[in-house]
Amino acid sequence: MTISTKHSTRRPLQTANTTAEQARARNNVLRERFPPRTVEEWWPATAGSAEEVLHRLTALPFLPAANATRAGRRRGVAKLLRWLSSLPGDTWQQRWKASGAEQIPGAGWTDLPQRFLRQSGLAPSYERTDLTSGLLMLVCGDVIRPDLAWMLTRTHKHLAPTMAEARDPEGFARLTQLAESGPTSARGEATIAATRIAMLLACKGGLIADVTVGDCVELVDTLRRVHVRGGQRKVDFYLRLRALGIFPEDAPAMIRAFGLAAGRLSIEELVDRYPIRSRMVRDLIVDYLRERQPSLDYTSLDSVSRTLAGLFWTRVEALSPGIDTLRLSPALARAWKADIATKKRSTAGQDGTVVEVTSPRLNMKDELIRVRAFYLDLAHWAAEEPARWAPWVVPCPISDEEISKAKDRKHRKARMDQRTRERLPVLPVLTSTVDRRRRAAAELLAAAERTRPGELIPDTDGALRRAVAPKAAGHLIWAEETSTGRRRNLTYEETEAFWAFAAIEVLRLTGIRNEELLELTHHSITEYRLPTSGEVVPLLQVAPSKTDSERLLLVSPELADILSAIIRRLRGPSGAIPLVTSYDCHERVWNPPMPLLFQRDIGTEHRAFTPTALRKLLINTLAVTGLTDTAGEPLIFSPHDFRRIFVTDAIMNGLPPHIAQVICGHKSLDTTMGYKAIYTTEAIEAHRAFITRRRATRPSEEYRTPTEEEWDAFLAHFEKRKVSIGTCARAFSSPCVHEHACVRCSLLRPDPAQRGRLEEIRDNLIARIAEAEREGWLGEVEGLRVSLAGAEDKLAQLDRASRSTAIDLGMPRPAAARNQEVERSAALGRSEGGQQ
């Protein structure tokens, strides 16, 4: 896989407002709890006179060791103070804001003071260099506090060292000590983090100990506005500040918590996401959700609120404005059901225009079930609290037939079984491919590490060269393809190959769910000593997930190898697995730090794998295998496919279904059997085994060799099956239930050659019925009509058989031959007409 290097690009400052508003709208709960420091209008350092400022910034601790640097800074401070003195304002901060320098990104701001100095008749020597040095001193001396977004448009090579000397030597010394205790490869990230922290001091004032969580959030939001990319280096400074212990204990473990979903919303916030006009119905839905909240998890509560407030009542109000009762007319109910039967989404067409696409709503019955439960719950609660719920009790507009899912469950079972049948045979190919890919990636990375930058990597046939990447992170190994010049991140490729191998192996060997895999920790591996032999058996403890039930799985030797490889990879220098804080995307909460087995390094941060990252691993791995489905499309594995394959393979190999139920953590045996895909060959073998068992339990004389008399009687039966109008198909040794009235029997197979005889029988029966009715023989009429119906049925069978026979259409001939034949037929017709 080819990985391109990341780079940072900047957006114009004037276009950043919409992005900032979107960023502020995310996770308002945490942002309100941790606000940034407000921008002060006045502080002592910015209110001093020009002489006081110049004297302070040209004395200790603002004096560098080099005389040239000291002179340049002194000139720069004097020139900037002279320029700012010409601008309106009572403080240097007000004059700086009035200058308009922050409207010019990058280093272009120096044109403003340069123009002033030239107009004043001052010598232009070293002006640009002096001005940037002077600005550095004014910022580090807390004389001015520039805007954060403007600061991010410039490079700040000397900001952190100067800030460490002049503003907070103790705080930056602690940062340096923290960086030295980490890996050597992370020194580059430590330098960038120190610059980010120094930027906060420059724009907000104070020391490192004064930096708040909200300041860091504001910096990250501004980074997202100004820079398109930046990766982990954007947020590494937050981890270092948190490690210094300057944040409160309830501060999030990582700053990504401020940029993820909005966390848990209250019931009122869940409902108010939708524009419900009727206040009474809105309050009813809120009360209903609050009543059900103790029995629902957050995900279910969110789903019910989306259905009732968004998909149900908001749509009903759109169809019938002003409605304030749950009693829907039949026409309104039909219109609402038709409205939610499809869903619309906007997508870009081939010409770039926005196209609205309509597709059926696959979970429509689930939505109807929630609405029906809403009506039925109100009716049930009204018996207990009539004053509160009885005014809302009305007939439910959804019937039982509309929410029947028997057919849907059968179709889903058929689809899932087909997925399992397609994927189980190719599972060995997948596992062998991921293992080879992991080994190849590890060998290539090891060979590249032993190769000097710029030289060809051994055992690659000259296709790869160790890339020279001086700006890359120290822990990354890059290679360059000699034919195309493209760069490949070999470290990333090896990491992806290993974790894809580990995830697939653990999923297929345990049958656990996706979320259970991501929640496995080092503490999940336990042991059990057999009381009889004293043998130690390794077990894997699966945390409660979907069914809220904990269970233990036996660790096979293959699984033990995988788990040990994961643990060896994750162990740090101290021998412990790093503690990682993961985010539960379903419950919208952050889990406490745990030694998760499925975690990875991104920069200097240890992050837990997410469901999205796991799906990407599977997609990239399957792309390498080249496997396809029956339609020729690339074969896709979901994490749950391995669970179905595990159940099917286990039961087919003799594991009792009730044991498979316990292993999988299912509450019902029907669920376990629903995971099992039934194969045709398996049914045949099971039937043959049943016959063998039955023969073993039946009396042996029933399976003896037949006598001559028995064999002759058996053959005579087939000789007696031929009758006048066809063949009798009754079983051997069975009596004729129609007492040889064959025309009435359903087992008679009529002979097409005897059609005339059947027609004679039918005509004779019609005549006999007419005669019996004429003579008054009513006792015979009913029997004759039964025989007539049988005769007509046999004639209908012959008609159907004749229509299903093949018709000879002849052999196709060339068009020229067909035209000649048509002309001959036409000429023959004319001649015959002339003769007539």
Side-chain angles (χ1 to χ4, degrees):
M1 178 178 295
T2 303
I3 308 296
S4 59
T5 57
K6 292 184 178 181
H7 61 281
S8 297
T9 57
R10 296 183 176 92
R11 296 177 179 175
L13 295 181
Q14 60 270 19
T15 63
N17 293 332
T18 56
T19 309
E21 293 174 359
Q22 294 174 357
R24 284 194 295 269
R26 303 171 72 180
N27 208 326
N28 292 328
V29 176
L30 281 179
R31 293 173 187 271
E32 292 175 0
R33 191 192 308 171
F34 300 100
R37 286 182 288 173
T38 57
V39 178
E40 299 180 2
E41 297 292 337
W42 186 93
W43 60 94
T46 192
S49 63
E51 293 77 11
E52 294 174 348
V53 172
L54 181 63
H55 177 71
R56 185 168 68 89
L57 296 184
T58 54
L60 291 176
F62 298 96
L63 292 180
N67 292 329
T69 305
R70 186 183 308 172
R73 290 179 176 179
R74 183 184 301 109
R75 292 194 301 269
V77 170
K79 292 177 181 179
L80 281 181
L81 291 177
R82 188 177 297 112
W83 168 58
L84 291 174
S85 298
S86 65
L87 299 173
D90 297 331
T91 64
W92 299 109
Q93 178 70 8
Q94 293 176 356
R95 300 182 185 108
W96 168 256
K97 292 294 183 181
S99 68
E102 293 180 352
Q103 305 301 320
I104 305 175
W109 70 274
T110 55
D111 294 339
L112 298 177
Q114 278 183 332
R115 189 181 305 118
F116 168 81
L117 295 174
R118 290 192 185 97
Q119 294 174 356
S120 301
L122 298 178
S125 60
Y126 308 109
E127 280 187 2
R128 187 177 295 273
T129 304
D130 290 348
L131 291 174
T132 55
S133 298
L135 179 64
L136 177 66
M137 302 311 297
L138 291 178
V139 169
C140 293
D142 204 20
V143 177
I144 62 174
R145 296 175 182 175
D147 182 68
L148 194 57
W150 180 77
M151 288 286 286
L152 289 172
T153 64
R154 306 176 60 248
T155 57
H156 304 282
K157 181 178 180 181
H158 303 289
L159 179 61
T162 306
M163 196 70 76
E165 295 175 359
R167 178 81 67 88
D168 190 5
E170 182 180 351
F172 281 92
R174 294 179 61 195
L175 271 180
T176 303
Q177 183 180 2
L178 181 64
E180 291 176 350
S181 63
T184 306
S185 59
R187 298 295 170 81
E189 284 82 354
T191 302
I192 296 176
T195 303
R196 299 281 189 241
I197 296 171
M199 199 176 300
L200 285 176
L201 302 187
C203 300
K204 294 286 186 177
L207 308 177
I208 290 181
D210 300 323
V211 176
T212 66
V213 176
D215 294 342
C216 299
V217 176
E218 184 180 5
L219 175 56
V220 172
D221 288 344
T222 311
L223 278 167
R224 291 194 178 102
R225 285 164 39 200
V226 179
H227 297 264
V228 177
R229 296 180 182 176
Q232 171 63 20
R233 297 181 179 183
K234 281 184 180 180
V235 298
D236 187 62
F237 70 94
Y238 179 87
L239 301 175
R240 298 179 184 273
L241 289 174
R242 194 175 189 278
L244 293 180
I246 66 173
F247 294 156
E249 295 182 357
D250 60 342
M254 51 191 66
I255 203 169
R256 291 188 299 116
F258 293 88
L260 290 174
R264 289 195 172 190
L265 302 178
S266 65
I267 292 180
E268 289 78 6
E269 291 172 333
L270 290 174
V271 176
D272 290 339
R273 292 179 296 181
Y274 305 96
I276 297 179
R277 300 185 183 94
S278 175
R279 186 69 183 182
M280 293 189 301
V281 177
R282 179 261 182 195
D283 294 341
L284 172 65
I285 296 176
V286 169
D287 291 343
Y288 173 79
L289 294 176
R290 185 172 288 110
E291 195 75 15
R292 293 198 59 190
Q293 185 177 15
S295 61
L296 298 176
D297 55 18
Y298 182 80
T299 303
S300 302
L301 191 68
D302 182 35
S303 300
V304 176
S305 67
R306 290 178 185 275
T307 300
L308 297 182
L311 203 60
F312 173 51
W313 195 251
T314 303
R315 301 286 186 95
V316 169
E317 286 187 334
L319 295 171
S320 178
I323 187 173
D324 59 356
T325 175
L326 297 182
R327 187 182 295 273
L328 307 184
S329 65
L332 179 58
R334 287 193 299 270
W336 169 69
K337 294 171 189 175
D339 183 39
I340 68 169
T342 58
K343 58 182 180 180
K344 299 178 181 179
R345 60 183 180 89
S346 299
T347 183
Q350 296 181 353
D351 56 352
T353 59
V354 178
V355 181
E356 191 176 70
V357 180
T358 302
S359 59
R361 190 181 300 276
L362 299 180
N363 66 332
M364 178 182 175
K365 289 189 177 180
D366 294 329
E367 307 292 352
L368 294 179
I369 288 173
R370 295 192 185 104
V371 176
R372 180 172 171 80
F374 174 56
Y375 276 84
L376 298 184
D377 285 342
L378 293 179
H380 178 72
W381 297 344
E384 300 177 357
E385 296 182 71
R388 182 181 181 187
W389 307 109
W392 296 101
V393 176
V394 295
C396 180
I398 303 169
S399 62
D400 285 337
E401 292 76 12
E402 292 177 292
I403 60 174
S404 176
K405 300 183 68 175
K407 185 180 294 184
D408 296 338
R409 283 192 291 267
K410 292 179 181 178
H411 290 171
R412 184 174 63 249
K413 177 70 167 63
R415 292 196 304 269
M416 294 301 101
D417 287 352
Q418 182 61 28
R419 286 182 65 93
T420 303
R421 294 189 188 104
E422 289 180 352
R423 286 155 181 77
L424 182 56
V426 302
L427 185 59
V429 178
L430 176 62
T431 55
S432 61
T433 302
V434 297
D435 189 27
R436 289 196 305 270
R437 180 172 175 241
R438 172 184 66 96
R439 296 178 185 275
E443 292 172 358
L444 180 59
L445 178 62
E449 289 176 343
R450 296 190 298 267
T451 305
R452 294 181 179 179
E455 297 181 358
L456 294 176
I457 300 176
D459 301 328
T460 60
D461 297 330
L464 288 177
R465 175 184 289 108
R466 173 78 181 271
V468 179
K471 294 185 178 181
H475 66 284
L476 299 180
I477 304 296
W478 289 84
E480 188 178 80
E481 296 180 357
T482 56
S483 58
T484 62
R486 294 186 300 178
R487 285 190 172 185
R488 294 170 53 181
N489 188 341
L490 300 185
T491 305
Y492 176 82
E493 292 182 12
E494 190 275 336
T495 301
E496 183 190 44
F498 174 83
W499 287 115
F501 164 78
I504 291 175
E505 288 296 308
V506 174
L507 285 173
R508 79 173 185 89
L509 293 175
T510 60
I512 59 178
R513 300 179 181 90
N514 181 20
E515 58 271 20
E516 293 171 344
L517 172 78
L518 301 180
E519 292 175 0
L520 289 178
T521 68
H522 194 194
H523 303 311
S524 300
I525 304 173
T526 182
E527 61 183 27
Y528 174 72
R529 188 176 299 275
L530 297 177
T532 54
S533 61
E535 180 183 358
V536 176
V537 178
L539 298 175
L540 186 66
Q541 186 177 13
V542 180
S545 177
K546 184 176 181 180
T547 58
D548 290 334
S549 58
E550 190 177 56
R551 64 188 191 276
L552 293 173
L553 304 180
L554 181 66
V555 176
S556 63
E558 296 85 357
L559 180 59
D561 291 340
I562 305 300
L563 296 177
S564 62
I566 294 174
I567 293 174
R568 288 197 304 270
R569 187 182 185 90
L570 295 179
R571 286 189 187 276
S574 63
I577 294 180
L579 300 180
V580 177
T581 302
S582 61
Y583 180 73
D584 191 335
C585 56
H586 298 290
E587 294 298 321
R588 307 279 182 90
V589 295
W590 286 89
N591 297 318
M594 295 181 293
L596 296 177
L597 294 183
F598 281 84
Q599 58 172 280
R600 54 181 174 172
D601 297 338
I602 298 181
T604 58
E605 180 186 1
H606 299 280
R607 288 190 188 177
F609 274 90
T610 62
T612 301
L614 186 59
R615 284 195 297 270
K616 288 182 178 179
L617 286 179
L618 295 179
I619 291 173
N620 294 339
T621 303
L622 287 164
V624 175
T625 63
L627 296 172
T628 58
D629 56 16
T630 54
E633 298 295 330
L635 193 64
I636 300 298
F637 270 80
S638 69
H640 215 71
D641 286 327
F642 294 98
R643 183 171 173 83
R644 296 181 181 275
I645 291 174
F646 175 82
V647 175
T648 300
D649 187 59
I651 295 180
M652 287 179 60
N653 285 279
L655 184 69
H658 65 284
I659 302 299
Q661 174 193 354
V662 176
I663 293 176
C664 294
H666 290 149
K667 290 185 176 180
S668 172
L669 184 61
D670 294 337
T671 305
T672 305
M673 296 307 296
Y675 275 44
K676 180 181 178 292
I678 303 297
Y679 290 80
T680 304
T681 55
E682 180 189 0
I684 294 174
E685 293 298 329
H687 191 197
R688 292 181 62 187
F690 166 73
I691 294 175
T692 302
R693 292 194 301 270
R694 187 181 64 177
R695 288 176 64 95
T697 57
R698 295 287 292 273
S700 59
E701 58 269 12
E702 293 188 8
Y703 303 102
R704 57 182 171 79
T705 302
T707 63
E708 293 294 334
E709 292 78 7
E710 291 172 338
W711 185 250
D712 292 339
F714 178 74
L715 296 178
H717 163 76
F718 293 97
E719 295 175 356
K720 297 175 182 179
R721 292 174 63 175
K722 185 68 175 176
V723 294
S724 61
I725 56 176
T727 304
C728 179
R730 75 178 187 271
F732 171 72
S733 189
S734 61
C736 179
V737 296
H738 293 292
E739 297 181 354
H740 303 286
C742 297
V743 74
R744 299 183 177 184
C745 185
S746 61
L747 296 178
L748 175 69
R749 296 294 178 265
D751 186 0
Q754 302 300 325
R755 182 183 182 88
R757 183 180 295 275
L758 273 172
E759 291 176 348
E760 291 178 3
I761 294 174
R762 180 196 60 188
D763 297 340
N764 179 262
L765 288 170
I766 293 174
R768 290 181 63 186
I769 291 173
E771 179 185 8
E773 290 177 345
R774 185 175 62 253
E775 298 295 336
W777 303 331
L778 301 181
E780 293 187 7
V781 172
E782 184 176 358
L784 292 173
R785 285 179 177 173
V786 173
S787 298
L788 177 61
E792 291 177 344
D793 180 65
K794 299 300 181 292
L795 289 172
Q797 291 183 28
L798 293 177
D799 292 338
R800 289 193 297 270
S802 63
R803 286 197 298 268
S804 63
T805 56
I807 300 175
D808 185 11
L809 299 179
M811 294 296 293
R813 288 172 292 175
R818 290 199 304 271
N819 294 335
Q820 293 176 2
E821 184 176 350
V822 171
E823 292 176 358
R824 287 197 299 270
S825 300
L828 180 60
R830 289 194 297 272
S831 62
E832 291 178 352
Q835 293 175 359
Q836 292 177 357

